[in-house]
Amino acid sequence: MPNINFGIFNNYVKKVGVTLAKPDKEIVKRAVIGADIVHIMLPFGLGVCAARIAKANNIPLTAGFHMQAENFTSYIKLNKVKFLNKTIYKIIYNNLYSIVNGIHYPTQFIRNVFEKNIKKTTPGYVISNGVHSYVQKRQIEKPDELKDKIVILSTGRYAREKSQDTLIKAVKYSKYKDKIQLILAG
């Protein structure tokens, strides 16, 4: 799919690492028609287009809920504007999530946030993206340079809504600030 042209905002969109496809309905139809099931990851143009085609052709449809409204509004520094976030939740519900057979939520928290904002119960399932139970803490020696440190590891992509800056600022307020080694593994 070609990318959406954001005009004067193209450089900003590129800077924040976002690529949004401009859906070509004929290509999407060829991809969707004949599928046993369609799963949509994000409620943007390509996903909405695929969902509508799947629905029109009676193909079972599921979607993941992996983008809070606040994730989007944080890029334009409006994530604290409740009315705007609520409006975005309603738009993505009406355009996608209202027509799916099931929604994958990574946490109960985000399911609660979404359903509270749209004032509806959804056909949702909480399937954690968290650490699997087979991942166990192992007793290993810290490297010499970290022996006397409190090590805090933060994983995840570098993005405004992940608030790594908050963690960095919080360290300086800790009574252990001189002992903390913060590792950001994006």
Side-chain angles (χ1 to χ4, degrees):
M1 296 291 153
N3 291 336
I4 293 175
N5 182 348
F6 290 97
I8 63 171
F9 298 106
N10 280 340
N11 286 337
Y12 178 71
V13 170
K14 184 178 180 180
K15 178 183 166 190
V16 298
V18 174
T19 303
L20 295 177
K22 181 178 178 183
D24 179 317
K25 196 171 181 179
E26 292 308 311
I27 294 172
V28 177
K29 270 186 185 175
R30 288 196 310 265
V32 169
I33 303 296
D36 294 323
I37 189 167
V38 172
H39 181 75
I40 308 299
M41 286 302 296
L42 292 170
F44 300 130
L46 181 60
V48 171
C49 178
R52 288 180 179 160
I53 292 168
K55 200 68 174 173
N57 289 278
N58 296 314
I59 299 169
L61 180 60
T62 62
F65 192 91
H66 298 281
M67 188 206 81
Q68 290 179 251
E70 294 83 357
N71 296 149
F72 171 74
T73 56
S74 72
Y75 283 106
I76 54 176
K77 299 187 178 182
L78 296 173
N79 52 309
K80 303 284 188 212
V81 181
K82 290 182 181 183
F83 171 76
L84 179 58
N85 291 320
K86 187 177 287 273
T87 300
I88 290 171
Y89 282 123
K90 288 179 180 178
I91 289 169
I92 63 177
Y93 174 77
N94 290 332
N95 285 323
L96 176 65
Y97 296 104
S98 64
I99 65 170
V100 302
N101 303 100
I103 301 172
H104 161 219
Y105 294 99
T107 65
Q108 186 63 48
F109 167 78
I110 191 53
R111 180 181 187 175
N112 294 346
V113 167
F114 185 52
E115 292 180 345
K116 178 182 175 190
N117 277 283
I118 63 169
K119 296 183 177 12
K120 295 181 186 326
T121 300
T122 63
Y125 303 88
V126 175
I127 305 168
S128 174
N129 289 345
V131 178
H132 195 278
S133 60
Y134 65 74
V135 176
Q136 300 289 319
K137 181 178 179 181
R138 293 181 293 154
Q139 293 295 54
I140 60 170
E141 292 290 317
K142 280 185 183 178
D144 287 339
E145 64 270 19
L146 299 176
K147 283 240 190 271
D148 298 323
K149 297 284 187 181
I150 299 167
V151 179
I152 299 174
L153 171 65
S154 174
T155 62
R157 62 189 169 85
Y158 299 131
R160 178 176 282 125
E161 78 272 8
K162 300 299 181 189
S163 297
Q164 286 95 350
D165 61 322
T166 302
L167 182 57
I168 293 166
K169 290 173 190 170
V171 168
K172 80 176 181 180
Y173 293 108
S174 170
K175 68 180 182 180
Y176 302 106
K177 66 183 174 193
D178 295 330
K179 293 181 120 308
I180 292 175
Q181 175 65 54
L182 180 59
I183 299 172
L184 301 176

